[in-house]
Amino acid sequence: MIDTPNSYRTQPDSEGHFGAYGGRYVAETLMPLVLELEAEYNRAKADPAFKAEFDYLLEHYVGRPSPLYYAERLTDAVRAECDESKGAEIWFKRDELNHTGAHKINNCIGQILLAIRMGKTRIIAETGAGQHGVATATVAARFGLPCIIYMGARDMERQAPNVFRMKLLGAQVIGVESGARTLKDAMNEALRDWVANVDDTFYIIGTAAGPHPYPELVRDFQSVIGTEARAQMLSRTERLPDLLVAAIGGGSNAIGLFHPFLDDKDVAMLGVEAAGHGLDKQHAASLAGGAPGILHGNKTYLLQDEDGQIAEAHSISAGLDYPGIGPEHAWLKDSGRVEYTSVTDTQALTAFQLLCKTEGIIPALEPAHAIAAVVERAKTMPRDKIILANLCGRGDKDIFTVAEALGVEL
Amino acid sequence: MTRLATPFSPDRPALVAFITAGDGDTAANLDALVAGGADVIELGMPFTDPMADGPAIQEANLRSLGAGTTTADIFALAAAFRDRHPDTPMILMGYANPMVRRGPDWFAAQCRDAGVDGVICVDIPVEEDAALGPALRAAGVAVIRLATPTTDAARLPFVLEGAGGFLYYVSVAGITGKQQAAQASIADAVARLKAATDLPVAVGFGVRTPDQAAEIARVADGVVVGSAIVELIAQHRENAPQYVEAFVASLRRAMDGARNTEEISA
């Protein structure tokens, strides 16, 4: 544990460190670009026109604010299964209703506006589940910039609908055959592209990780989730929620929800990692099963062996299938401000079906992990407590994966 | 003079030869590099995620890890090399995570004890020097920094802070083993770098043939060749040492010829 700071909302420091984590662990070729991005982001933050354009696009193109929704039938289902004094209210921030069906677009809008400010003319990105790839391809189409998406070949197989979406949007999707052919390998390949195309290319990183300033700027762009939710909750219930819950791969939707609440000391927070086949088997829970290390530009918790070789992650959710986590989560874990837990593939599948049947909402497999944790926590919390979870993506893209897991032939 | 300073002399450009540890018969290939005339050995530490490397060295990394190479194996290879070749400088090249996994002091002590003269860490720029640099310098191991086409004049002095051994000029913005930079741009860059530091300047990335090595040898203190050697090891496996030696010898001859020509024409 580290000393309790006066505020949890002042990270990172000027060198991009979140406590012992974060930083700028990139090749020298990229270092000047990363510094240039930081300088431009600082100028953009101080420019009211930048914020005005970001807000305009979020409202009229993305469809924000997203609703805050009380999940009454899910709450009732939980209450039917626990002690009658228990069963907290379950509320959702409906970021699956955004244009493109996930929270990823919030960040992509912000980053493409930065790319344009910097005069970059070519966009690259990595993607796991394809949600960030679709969101990137979307904003690239919207602003008329060529776009290349790197995606693990294995992820392309299990997320075929998103591959087609990206192509419809005009992006070139390049399958990555190295390693386990998933998100980590796609990120390696995107970095190789970036280092070879430093003059004209902007790399839109999809999660709150990578070299500084990416973890900070992705968090800031995604913080619209928590900022809206906090105001909506106060307006609807005249109080703050008791517990926030969000799924974590790299951690962008979670940090976006959590960050605006970090100094509300009565609001507890729970991040949910993917336990895959189980924490004693193959999984993607870097905080639960990893150790601090350096990868993809930042120091953070990583799944790795005793020699520092990176382990292959596994999750049924391609969006959580990554052996690292954003550095701010690493710091929030060590500081004790946020609690982290994990949910297996099987538990996520159960929660996926429960939400379909109780609320008429097909969630993505990523927030299905959060919902599994919400259901368990709600059973232990009094009825007058409120849990707010981020429904960060819709599940249309996952129906083939879910069908296969359930043994259903489509 | 330290072992690493010896090979860089004004009248004889140094050949820095790279192979990946644990890919093929590394001890035999290292001996072949020396026999062929390599002046500095750059031994690559395999990593699961070699994001600065092109296909040839990526595959060498995966072959090595697939064969079960550990960090302990790499230091054993280095220490045995030091016993066989007491005077040939050897540096380690690799990525941050395997280097810091057991702590920077542990890694630095291992380098010192194995007779490793310097370390290149791709993804620890000067901004993050604290992660490894102080430990290496305290152990007497040189921190070899990279300068690139994106390192401008304002930034260069900062990059040189705490640097030792030689300055490695990455001649192209890109990954290893791919395109080669234009000779004119290399000459300009080396002149700029040499004006800023007393360290020798070696040039690498995309240097694949004796002719290219000779061209660079006209202007730089050293030439780094990696992917082309690694490809020979991939192609010839257990028979690789003879091919490696012959190729390195052809590089060495071309580089010697380059300076001789220059002196005659001057």
Side-chain angles (χ1 to χ4, degrees):
Chain A
M1 294 277 276
I2 55 181
D3 291 341
T4 303
N6 292 328
S7 169
Y8 289 92
R9 304 187 68 232
T10 58
Q11 304 283 325
D13 67 17
S14 61
E15 298 298 310
H17 294 126
F18 299 85
Y21 303 103
R24 295 175 283 212
Y25 293 91
V26 295
E28 172 62 20
T29 310
L30 292 178
M31 198 60 222
L33 280 79
V34 163
L35 293 170
E36 186 189 338
L37 175 60
E38 180 187 352
E40 189 61 42
Y41 181 54
N42 286 333
R43 283 192 288 272
K45 274 196 289 191
D47 180 357
F50 181 82
K51 186 178 187 318
E53 189 168 14
F54 180 65
D55 291 346
Y56 178 90
L57 287 163
L58 286 188
E59 180 179 352
H60 300 292
Y61 187 66
V62 174
R64 302 207 72 95
S66 67
L68 183 75
Y69 172 68
Y70 173 43
E72 193 173 353
R73 290 233 320 135
L74 178 62
T75 302
D76 288 346
V78 167
R79 286 176 174 172
E81 288 194 359
C82 63
D83 186 285
E84 67 179 27
S85 68
K86 308 285 189 191
E89 288 186 6
I90 300 170
W91 293 62
F92 289 121
K93 181 61 174 163
R94 300 285 308 273
D95 252 51
E96 98 281 14
L97 293 176
N98 291 337
H99 180 41
T100 74
H103 71 289
K104 293 291 186 184
I105 189 93
N106 304 326
N107 166 49
C108 289
I109 294 279
Q111 287 200 46
I112 202 153
L113 292 178
L114 278 177
I116 291 164
R117 280 178 74 97
M118 296 176 77
K120 303 295 184 183
T121 55
R122 177 176 176 269
I123 299 296
I124 61 170
E126 85 296 335
T127 195
Q131 293 303 91
H132 174 59
V134 167
T136 304
T138 297
V139 297
R142 167 66 180 74
F143 288 94
L145 294 178
C147 175
I148 293 171
I149 305 291
Y150 291 94
M151 186 169 188
R154 176 157 184 267
D155 289 340
M156 287 178 73
E157 289 158 17
R158 54 181 173 171
Q159 300 288 347
N162 269 346
V163 174
F164 185 56
R165 282 188 190 101
M166 288 184 267
K167 289 178 177 171
L168 284 173
L169 292 160
Q172 183 186 352
V173 184
I174 298 182
V176 178
E177 294 286 352
S178 58
R181 306 180 300 145
T182 60
L183 179 55
K184 166 173 85 85
D185 313 292
M187 199 151 183
N188 289 336
E189 210 56 34
L191 284 165
R192 291 184 186 116
D193 180 309
W194 196 24
V195 81
N197 296 284
V198 291
D199 292 329
D200 63 352
T201 297
F202 191 99
Y203 180 13
I204 297 188
I205 292 182
T207 193
H212 177 67
Y214 281 101
E216 177 186 355
L217 66 86
V218 174
R219 174 200 73 199
D220 291 350
F221 294 142
Q222 292 294 3
S223 288
V224 66
I225 300 169
T227 303
E228 283 177 7
R230 195 173 182 283
Q232 288 167 321
M233 188 60 84
L234 285 170
S235 157
R236 297 269 295 279
T237 68
E238 297 180 340
R239 51 169 296 196
L240 292 175
D242 300 285
L243 175 67
L244 306 177
V245 183
I248 297 190
S252 71
N253 95 80
I255 202 70
L257 176 65
F258 294 169
H259 195 261
F261 291 92
L262 281 175
D263 287 338
D264 295 315
K265 63 180 181 359
D266 294 331
V267 179
M269 301 180 195
L270 179 65
V272 185
E273 295 189 291
H277 298 309
L279 288 181
D280 56 341
K281 303 186 182 73
Q282 216 181 7
H283 62 85
S286 324
L287 292 176
I294 296 167
L295 181 70
H296 292 154
N298 57 180
K299 185 174 182 188
T300 188
Y301 280 80
L302 301 171
L303 299 180
Q304 56 182 319
D305 71 10
E306 59 186 10
D307 275 346
Q309 305 295 347
I310 307 303
E312 301 295 355
H314 164 78
S315 169
I316 191 172
S317 151
L320 304 181
D321 199 348
Y322 180 71
I325 185 165
E328 192 159 15
H329 288 293
W331 177 75
L332 287 168
K333 173 196 161 72
D334 284 7
S335 73
R337 177 64 186 91
V338 177
E339 179 189 356
Y340 294 87
T341 186
S342 60
V343 158
T344 64
D345 289 353
T346 307
Q347 292 170 313
L349 276 168
T350 302
F352 178 99
Q353 295 170 85
L354 179 64
L355 193 71
C356 291
K357 287 173 180 159
T358 55
E359 294 292 344
I361 297 171
I362 301 176
L365 281 168
E366 292 79 21
H369 285 72
I371 294 158
V374 163
V375 167
E376 289 312 306
R377 287 301 164 103
K379 289 175 184 171
T380 68
M381 291 168 63
R383 288 192 170 217
D384 61 352
K385 299 293 184 186
I386 292 178
I387 300 175
L388 168 59
N390 195 15
L391 200 48
C392 62
R394 67 174 184 233
D396 309 47
K397 70 183 174 64
D398 289 320
I399 57 172
F400 303 100
T401 304
V402 171
E404 192 186 333
L406 298 177
V408 177
E409 202 156 319
L410 296 181
Chain B
M1 274 217 291
T2 67
R3 197 159 39 207
L4 199 45
T6 313
F8 296 97
S9 73
D11 42 75
R12 186 177 178 280
L15 173 58
V16 182
F18 171 95
I19 62 173
T20 299
D23 177 32
D25 185 345
T26 299
N29 287 322
L30 288 171
D31 290 347
L33 296 177
V34 176
D39 304 289
V40 178
I41 303 302
E42 184 184 355
L43 185 61
M45 296 181 66
F47 183 44
T48 40
D49 295 84
M51 53 265 181
D53 284 301
I57 296 178
Q58 281 179 47
E59 286 160 20
N61 277 251
L62 294 179
R63 283 193 301 271
S64 174
L65 293 173
T69 305
T70 64
T71 301
D73 295 336
I74 297 163
F75 282 116
L77 283 165
F81 176 87
R82 179 53 63 230
D83 287 342
R84 297 196 303 280
H85 304 279
D87 301 324
T88 306
M90 169 178 271
I91 60 176
L92 291 181
M93 173 273 178
Y95 294 83
N97 202 47
M99 294 185 184
V100 302
R101 181 67 171 101
R102 294 178 177 88
D105 293 329
W106 181 90
F107 183 77
Q110 291 286 306
C111 288
R112 181 194 61 215
D113 294 349
V116 169
D117 302 293
V119 169
I120 297 173
C121 183
V122 174
D123 52 348
I124 299 187
V126 62
E127 279 79 358
E128 302 294 347
D129 182 70
L132 186 61
L136 288 174
R137 287 187 290 271
V141 179
V143 174
I144 296 166
R145 287 268 163 66
L146 307 171
T148 73
T150 58
T151 311
D152 64 19
R155 176 170 171 78
L156 186 56
F158 184 41
V159 169
L160 289 165
E161 279 177 21
F166 61 92
L167 182 62
Y168 186 139
Y169 179 60
V170 175
S171 63
V172 288
I175 54 179
T176 56
K178 303 288 265 191
Q179 70 278 41
Q180 195 215 355
Q183 176 67 13
S185 75
I186 292 174
D188 289 349
V190 171
R192 183 166 61 84
L193 297 174
K194 289 188 73 69
T197 179
D198 293 331
L199 290 173
V201 176
V203 176
F205 273 52
V207 186
R208 307 186 56 89
T209 67
D211 287 350
Q212 291 172 334
E215 282 287 301
I216 292 169
R218 288 179 207 280
V219 298
D221 302 308
V223 179
V224 187
V225 180
S227 295
I229 301 172
V230 168
E231 285 170 13
L232 285 176
I233 292 170
Q235 187 183 344
H236 298 290
R237 305 313 301 160
E238 66 273 17
N239 297 320
Q242 57 178 305
Y243 294 94
V244 168
E245 181 178 336
F247 177 64
V248 170
S250 73
L251 295 168
R252 185 66 261 177
R253 274 195 305 275
M255 289 167 60
D256 289 339
R259 284 289 175 96
N260 291 339
T261 311
E262 189 178 47
E263 279 159 24
I264 292 162
S265 62

